[in-house]
Amino acid sequence: MPLARSLSVTSLNGLDDWDDDLDLDNSVLFEVAWEVANKVGGIYTVIQTKTKITTDEWGENYFLIGPYFEHNVRTQVELIEPPNPAIKRAIDSMNSKGCKIYFGRWLIEGSPYVILIDIAATAWSLDRWKTELWDSCTIGIPWYDREANDAVLFGFLTAWFLGEFAAQCGDEKPFILAHFHEWLAGVGLCLCRVRKLPVATIFTTHATLLGRYLCAGSVDFYNNLQSFNVDKEAGDRQIYHRYCMERAAVQCAHVFTTVSQITAIEAEHLLKRKPDFVTPNGLNVKKFSAMHEFQNLHAQSKNRIQEFIRGHFYGHLDFNLDKTLFFFIAGRYEFSNKGADIFLEALARLNYLLRVNQSDITIVAFFIMPARTNNFNVETLKGQAVRKQLWDTANAVKEKFGKKLYESLLVGNLPDMNKMLDKEDFTMMKRAIFATQRQSFPPVCTHNMLDDSTDSILNSIRRIGLFNSSADRVKVIFHPEFLSSTSPLLPVDYEEFVRGCHLGVFPSYYEPWGYTPAECTVMGIPSISTNLSGFGCFMEEHIADPSAYGIYILDRRFRSVDDSCTQLTSFLYNFCQQTRRQRIIQRNRTERLSDLLDWKYLGRYYMYARHMALAKAFPDNFTYEPHEPTAAAGFRYPRPASVPPSPSLSRHSSPHHSETEDEERYDEEEEAEKDRQNIKQPTMSNVTQIPEWRKRSKKGSVDAGNSSNASTPTNPSSPSDLSSPTSSLIEERN
């Protein structure tokens, strides 16, 4: 089974110290998840972005396993014949027994092979398999939980396929490694161990089921982790069977990983196993050849958003768009978990501060959270129609004016400006102006909500009184639908929208990782995160002064809700005080952190986890010798050499401050060089013991790694005031 790499692993940036001697030619990796070619949540982004570096490492020996849904396959998957004979025989064998298994290439970067299982085709086996699950694992699944029933079907078919593949490989069986994501795929892992299949297993939880439910119920979660009666809490929320599936997968896996250290502590208490590894989520970072290209994209996308604002606020456009900042929050509609509650409260306080200080800055805060709607708001659509009508009127008058001006200049006369426009032109313009008059305030919500009276965001807006009045310096727009470039209202996709905003605000209470602030960082947009999110803890660990790089970390662990809201208000108000030049410098610094979130760096965590699983499952062929972590200090990005001056101390060299962003230039190359002297390649760290990897050949033991390769970034030896919140959590727990 040859390993055909499209790119040498050792040539990837950040993997120079990886020892490529570990032979993967006789190993096969299966990655199992419900969100393979099936977008449901954030796990889809994890798998989709990670496949490129995984394919580079494993080549033709890497396969993804997911559910078959025809509407997804039509647009994302190219169905082909399996090139691997054992895979083909396993699929043919299962199809001959009534299953429907499909094979193809997922049309994303890396073009990985996918094996898609049609669970509906074998639904007739559900009762029999649920009985077997009860007999073997003592897990009972109620008939009414369709999602859990789908998990049972998917798990049994996955285990069936892995067993069939192992049987079809013949005498020269490869080392099989299966990586399962989340509880929906966990049944397959349990069955692999129950049936004693020759498979090394990894289980990754991206968020614990019970943790998400507890946090949504306004529980003081992190201060009571040790005292929860997990069985009772799961039973009270009617998810006990799901919790049992998740916990069984965690206990059965050879290697258990989570996506952040904050989630690792949570999993240890709720799932009763300490993770072997933390595998942070990354992104595929693409650098621009031109240094200012992402700044140009920001300006272009900002113009698109400004066009929407002109239409949405027609009749009340009494603020300067050049002095308007766009804030946004996006993600799953979890009002308290995602921090939408304290964001709204902070916006109300920010509105008061801007008004009493007579600031000329206007804030437009977007809430991009999908909710139940039936259509666009008529008033919102009318606003865009009025804007287009004004644009058409202005163009018509411009064409007529230009023609008369041209004819006057053609005969050598200076135009008489009083005769350039006639009464018809003035009448047309007056009618256009009258059309912009409105008696009501611009709508807060762009759609008609099905549950308007009970919607959490709308009720909070009613309570704090942010109704987009002319007196308010903070405007709110609730867009309860995912963004799309084909939308008749706001025709931009999510990436373009993020690039056009000035600040992403994600004050989450429960956020195992946090892709939204990570995407902001990669696109050079400052963001606010919390020390209860995986992203925030990761950044605090690697950056000595995150705010200098545009990464604001809100303390929601050691402060009350009111204190956290006050701190968030301070972040927002201080950001409003920055000049355009300061925002440009900060965006440049934020974008330079993107290498830290690249899969080319973070992908190594998954490499170590896979090799540990191989060593545990096949000790005769792979071994590792754990040892205590050394006291060698890691590395944290220091404070930048030059920090944008604080607003109170800022002085302009010219008498008059330029109002256009393009006119405010600074020496970008000089700034970049100063930051490059500070930013170094981070070292590896891990929350658990650091393994020293070795591989034993037939003739003897041959090292497949050394201590430097096996080392993972340790927390830096730093003063206590720089220690990350997760270290405090660990100390408090111990």
Side-chain angles (χ1 to χ4, degrees):
M1 212 173 284
L3 177 64
R5 290 187 178 85
S6 58
L7 180 65
S8 172
V9 177
T10 54
S11 68
L12 295 174
N13 179 36
L15 297 177
D16 302 319
D17 59 347
W18 178 253
D19 192 345
D20 199 30
D21 292 339
L22 187 60
D23 187 9
L24 300 178
D25 288 355
N26 197 33
S27 302
V28 179
L29 172 62
F30 294 97
E31 195 153 6
V32 187
W34 184 257
E35 297 195 34
V36 170
N38 176 38
K39 186 172 184 178
V40 178
I43 303 174
Y44 176 89
T45 304
V46 176
I47 296 172
Q48 182 197 37
T49 56
K50 186 170 65 67
T51 51
K52 176 62 170 65
I53 191 170
T54 310
T55 304
D56 291 339
E57 181 192 2
W58 287 79
E60 300 290 310
N61 294 354
Y62 174 51
F63 304 90
L64 290 156
I65 299 179
Y68 174 87
F69 294 106
E70 186 176 356
H71 63 280
N72 290 330
V73 172
R74 286 179 177 178
T75 57
Q76 299 186 49
V77 179
E78 177 191 6
L79 297 178
I80 61 174
E81 285 293 320
N84 186 304
I87 294 285
K88 184 175 181 3
R89 290 194 297 268
I91 292 177
D92 291 342
S93 175
M94 292 184 65
N95 287 342
S96 66
K97 297 174 183 176
C99 302
K100 288 187 178 179
I101 313 295
Y102 300 85
F103 187 90
R105 280 194 181 275
W106 193 0
L107 300 179
I108 57 175
E109 190 175 9
S111 300
Y113 291 129
V114 289
I115 300 165
L116 302 178
I117 300 173
D118 188 349
I119 60 173
T122 51
W124 49 271
S125 299
L126 179 60
D127 289 338
R128 176 167 58 88
W129 286 344
K130 287 167 72 172
T131 302
E132 182 180 341
L133 184 63
W134 172 259
D135 293 338
S136 60
C137 303
T138 322
I139 299 176
I141 309 297
W143 61 270
Y144 56 82
D145 191 343
R146 180 173 179 178
E147 194 171 14
N149 289 334
D150 289 346
V152 171
L153 291 170
F154 184 56
F156 270 83
L157 288 167
T158 300
W160 184 355
F161 173 80
L162 293 175
E164 193 70 38
F165 171 74
Q168 295 293 342
C169 287
D171 296 333
E172 297 182 0
K173 292 184 179 180
F175 300 108
I176 303 174
L177 175 62
H179 189 161
F180 297 82
H181 293 266
E182 283 292 292
W183 71 274
L184 282 165
V187 173
L189 188 151
C190 297
L191 293 173
C192 287
R193 300 305 302 275
V194 169
R195 297 176 180 179
K196 299 181 179 180
L197 298 180
V199 178
T201 57
I202 305 174
F203 184 77
T204 297
T205 179
H206 298 258
T208 66
L209 271 171
L210 189 55
R212 190 179 295 279
Y213 274 82
L214 286 170
C215 289
S218 301
V219 173
D220 188 4
F221 180 66
Y222 292 98
N223 289 323
N224 294 284
L225 271 175
Q226 296 176 334
S227 59
F228 286 121
N229 184 336
V230 292
D231 293 320
K232 180 182 183 301
E233 297 290 349
D236 291 344
R237 288 158 179 79
Q238 298 184 358
I239 59 166
Y240 185 69
H241 56 288
R242 297 187 181 191
Y243 169 73
C244 290
M245 296 162 70
E246 181 182 34
R247 183 167 169 178
V250 168
Q251 300 298 328
C252 289
H254 290 105
V255 172
F256 171 45
T257 75
T258 61
V259 296
S260 64
Q261 297 198 27
I262 195 77
T263 311
I265 299 168
E266 171 191 345
E268 184 177 359
H269 288 93
L270 300 186
L271 299 176
K272 307 305 179 183
R273 179 176 175 181
K274 186 176 182 179
D276 300 288
F277 270 97
V278 168
T279 51
N281 293 332
L283 289 164
N284 289 326
V285 179
K286 297 181 180 179
K287 292 291 188 179
F288 297 103
S289 56
M291 193 171 296
H292 273 95
E293 182 61 26
F294 82 96
Q295 295 278 14
N296 296 333
L297 291 176
H298 165 74
Q300 295 170 13
S301 299
K302 184 178 69 174
N303 290 337
R304 299 283 297 276
I305 298 175
Q306 286 177 341
E307 282 300 298
F308 167 78
I309 295 298
R310 289 186 176 98
H312 191 83
F313 287 91
Y314 82 92
H316 291 269
L317 197 64
D318 52 0
F319 51 91
N320 187 353
L321 283 177
D322 288 333
K323 294 184 178 181
T324 299
L325 303 180
F326 300 135
F327 298 169
F328 80 99
I329 182 174
R332 186 187 287 109
Y333 195 166
E334 295 179 2
F335 184 65
S336 57
N337 279 1
K338 297 298 182 182
D341 50 352
I342 73 166
F343 184 31
L344 282 166
E345 180 63 32
L347 287 175
R349 299 182 185 186
L350 176 65
N351 183 52
Y352 172 78
L353 289 175
L354 294 176
R355 290 175 62 178
V356 298
N357 289 290
Q358 298 181 348
S359 174
D360 58 354
I361 296 293
T362 301
I363 305 299
V364 177
F366 289 90
F367 288 75
I368 312 297
M369 290 182 163
R372 297 178 61 199
T373 66
N374 58 18
N375 212 330
F376 293 108
N377 187 304
V378 173
E379 187 65 23
T380 304
L381 288 174
K382 180 183 176 182
Q384 301 307 313
V386 169
R387 178 192 61 79
K388 187 177 185 303
Q389 180 185 7
L390 286 174
W391 178 259
D392 293 340
T393 300
N395 276 335
V397 173
K398 182 184 70 174
E399 290 285 339
K400 197 171 182 179
F401 183 91
K403 184 177 180 180
K404 290 182 179 180
L405 178 62
Y406 168 71
E407 291 175 349
S408 177
L409 296 176
L410 196 63
V411 297
N413 296 328
L414 289 175
D416 185 355
M417 302 305 295
N418 295 324
K419 297 181 180 180
M420 296 301 290
L421 297 177
D422 52 28
K423 289 185 178 181
E424 182 181 349
D425 298 325
F426 282 103
T427 300
M428 185 187 307
M429 289 187 290
K430 288 179 180 179
R431 290 178 60 185
I433 292 174
F434 290 155
T436 63
Q437 296 179 358
R438 72 198 306 180
Q439 301 302 320
S440 61
F441 293 144
V444 169
C445 185
T446 59
H447 292 60
N448 294 322
M449 303 290 292
L450 290 180
D451 302 315
D452 183 283
S453 61
T454 60
D455 184 80
S456 300
I457 291 179
L458 294 182
N459 282 336
S460 292
I461 291 174
R462 296 182 184 110
R463 178 179 58 81
I464 61 180
L466 286 181
F467 298 119
N468 294 339
S469 68
S470 298
D472 290 329
R473 297 268 48 85
V474 174
K475 320 290 185 180
V476 177
I477 298 177
F478 179 27
H479 189 279
E481 194 177 63
F482 284 123
L483 296 170
S484 171
S485 58
T486 59
S487 171
L489 189 64
L490 182 56
V492 295
D493 57 26
Y494 179 71
E495 180 179 345
E496 186 179 6
F497 174 79
V498 172
R499 286 192 182 277
C501 290
H502 297 88
L503 181 69
V505 185
F506 314 104
S508 305
Y509 183 75
Y510 185 79
E511 190 70 77
W513 176 248
Y515 254 119
T516 42
E519 290 167 338
C520 287
T521 303
V522 169
M523 288 184 269
I525 303 301
S527 63
I528 297 176
S529 184
T530 74
N531 58 358
L532 293 181
S533 71
F535 173 83
C537 294
F538 182 82
M539 284 301 183
E540 277 196 327
E541 180 183 352
H542 288 81
I543 307 174
D545 185 7
S547 60
Y549 288 92
I551 308 295
Y552 299 92
I553 308 297
L554 184 68
D555 184 3
R556 296 205 64 180
R557 173 66 177 88
F558 304 106
R559 295 192 181 196
S560 66
V561 175
D562 184 68
D563 288 343
S564 296
C565 188
T566 301
Q567 185 186 19
L568 177 59
T569 306
S570 175
F571 285 159
L572 298 177
Y573 184 72
N574 289 337
F575 188 86
C576 295
Q577 298 297 99
Q578 290 184 3
T579 66
R580 288 176 181 263
R581 182 176 184 274
Q582 290 170 336
R583 294 198 300 270
I584 293 173
I585 296 173
Q586 190 173 66
R587 282 199 296 270
N588 282 323
R589 292 215 178 97
T590 303
E591 196 271 341
R592 290 188 194 113
L593 295 178
S594 58
D595 285 338
L596 193 61
L597 301 171
D598 198 333
W599 275 122
K600 294 177 181 178
Y601 165 54
L602 297 180
R604 68 175 77 184
Y605 290 93
Y606 280 91
M607 291 181 180
Y608 286 124
R610 288 193 288 264
H611 294 165
M612 176 185 281
L614 286 171
K616 287 187 175 182
F618 308 108
D620 294 337
N621 301 90
F622 302 88
T623 62
Y624 72 95
E625 296 180 4
H627 56 82
E628 292 298 324
T630 63
F635 181 80
R636 284 156 64 101
Y637 285 28
R639 186 177 178 86
S642 58
V643 180
S646 62
S648 60
L649 299 178
S650 176
R651 296 291 182 270
H652 300 288
S653 57
S654 58
H656 300 287
H657 172 40
S658 173
E659 296 295 336
T660 61
E661 188 166 337
D662 290 337
E663 293 177 0
E664 291 198 21
R665 296 297 184 187
Y666 73 107
D667 193 336
E668 166 62 20
E669 293 186 0
E670 181 181 349
E671 288 285 332
E673 182 58 33
K674 290 178 181 178
D675 282 348
R676 273 193 291 268
Q677 293 174 0
N678 288 323
I679 298 177
K680 303 176 183 177
Q681 181 65 39
T683 56
M684 294 289 294
S685 73
N686 195 22
V687 294
T688 58
Q689 294 176 334
I690 303 176
E692 180 179 340
W693 292 97
R694 293 177 178 158
K695 177 160 184 209
R696 183 180 303 141
S697 64
K698 294 182 180 180
K699 295 183 179 180
S701 176
V702 179
D703 285 346
N706 50 44
S707 58
S708 62
N709 295 333
S711 65
T712 53
T714 56
N715 289 336
S717 300
S718 56
S720 58
D721 59 304
L722 293 180
S723 61
S724 65
T726 50
S727 63
S728 301
L729 277 171
I730 294 173
E731 292 172 3
E732 183 177 292
R733 184 195 68 212
N734 294 333

